[in-house]
Amino acid sequence: MSEQSIDLRETVRRRYAAAAVKVREGGTACCGPEPVEVDENFGSTLYAADERETLPAEAVATSLGCGNPTAVADLNEGEHVLDLGSGGGIDVLLSARRVGPTGKAYGLDMTEEMLALALANAAKAGATNVEFLKGTIEAIPLPAATIDVVISNCVINLSTDKPAVFAETFRVLKPGGRIGVSDVVAEDGLTSEERAERGDHVGCIAGALSFAEYRRGLEAAGFTDVEITATHHVADGMHSAIVRAVKPATAPPAPAADACCGVTTCCTPAEEAVTPGTTVSEAKAAAGCGCGS
C-alpha cells in the first residue's frame, strides 16, 4: 500500500474514532447522546422512524451513511449477512432482526472505538446473533463462500483499493450470494479533480467511483446482474445510490484437460473452441495462440 493510501486510511480511521468517542461521551447526558453532525443527505434520518425507535440511541447517533442498505438487501430468515464498515452497528442490528435466530449478522470495522461502541449497542439491544470483527474491507477476515448477503452504507467509496474490496466481497459470498449496498457514486462526466472539489475523501465524495467505474469494477470481480440506481443528490454531480449485484450460482465450465490456446486438441483436425459460440480462429486470436488458425 502506498504512503498516500496509508495516510488516507488513517484519516478515515481518526474521523470515525472521533465520532464514536463523541457519541459515547454524550451518552452520560440526561437525554441521551446527540447525533454526529450530518446534513439531510447522510445519517439516521434516512431510516424509518420505527426502525430508529427500536435501537439503542448510540447506534442511531453514529449513523453516518448515505442510505439504508437493510431496506434494499431483501434479507431472509436464516441468512448470514456481512456489513462492511459497520460503525456503531445500526445496520448489523437491523439485519440481525431480519435474519432471525437461525441467521447471523457480522459487522466489520477497522476502528477500535466504533467496535467497542457496536458491542455495547448489541448488548443493549439484546442481540445474540451478531458478531463484530476487526479488520479492513480490503482483507475480510472470514472464510470463502460463507456469506449470503453483503451490505454496506457509504463505506466502499472511502476505500483506497476498491478492486480489492470487490474481490474480497466476491470471495466471501456463497455461490448465488448477493450485495445490497448504499454508496456515493459520481456522474460519469466528472473527473477525479472535480469529485475532489465537491468534498474531502472522508466526506465520502472525493473517493467515489463513477457509475461506469463501479459497474466495471464489480463485473471485473466476477459479479453479474449489476444494478446501480441513484436515489438522491449529495452534491453537484454526486448521488447516493443503491448498488445490487449477484455472485453467479455456478462457475463457468473449466477448460478441458487437453485445452490450450482457447481450443481443445489444439492443432489437430478435431480441435474445437472451448467457449460456446466462438469459432476456433476467434478463440485462438483471443488467447494469443502461436500456432495460428
Side-chain angles (χ1 to χ4, degrees), residues 54-59 88-89 92-94 96-97 100-101 103 105 117-132:
T54 59
L55 295 173
E58 291 82 359
V92 174
L93 297 178
L94 289 173
R97 292 181 180 179
L117 182 60
L119 287 169
N121 288 334
K124 289 178 181 178
T128 58
N129 59 337
V130 304
E131 182 176 345
F132 290 96

Side-chain angles (χ1 to χ4, degrees), residues 139-242:
I140 300 171
L142 285 172
T146 54
I147 299 297
D148 297 292
V149 188
V150 171
I151 63 174
S152 185
N153 196 350
C154 203
V155 171
I156 294 175
N157 57 78
L158 298 175
S159 172
T160 58
D161 189 355
K162 294 175 183 64
V165 176
F166 296 148
E168 277 290 273
T169 300
F170 190 88
R171 180 185 67 82
V172 300
L173 280 171
K174 299 175 183 177
R178 61 199 185 279
I179 66 172
V181 167
S182 294
D183 213 358
V184 171
V185 184
E187 292 179 4
D188 291 333
L190 289 183
T191 66
S192 298
E193 292 74 17
E194 288 170 330
R195 296 175 212 177
E197 291 172 359
R198 286 152 173 78
D200 63 24
H201 196 276
V202 179
C204 301
I205 291 177
L209 296 173
S210 71
F211 284 87
E213 289 168 345
Y214 219 120
R215 177 178 295 277
R216 287 198 298 268
L218 288 170
E219 291 176 344
F223 285 99
T224 60
D225 300 326
V226 178
E227 298 178 3
I228 307 173
T229 307
T231 57
H232 59 272
H233 283 83
V234 297
D236 183 24
M238 312 293 297
H239 304 264
S240 174
I242 295 168

Side-chain angles (χ1 to χ4, degrees), residues 258-281:
D258 63 346
C260 74
C261 294
V263 299
T264 59
T265 57
C266 186
C267 301
T268 72
E271 63 183 4
E272 294 181 353
V274 172
T275 303
T278 304
T279 68
V280 168
S281 296

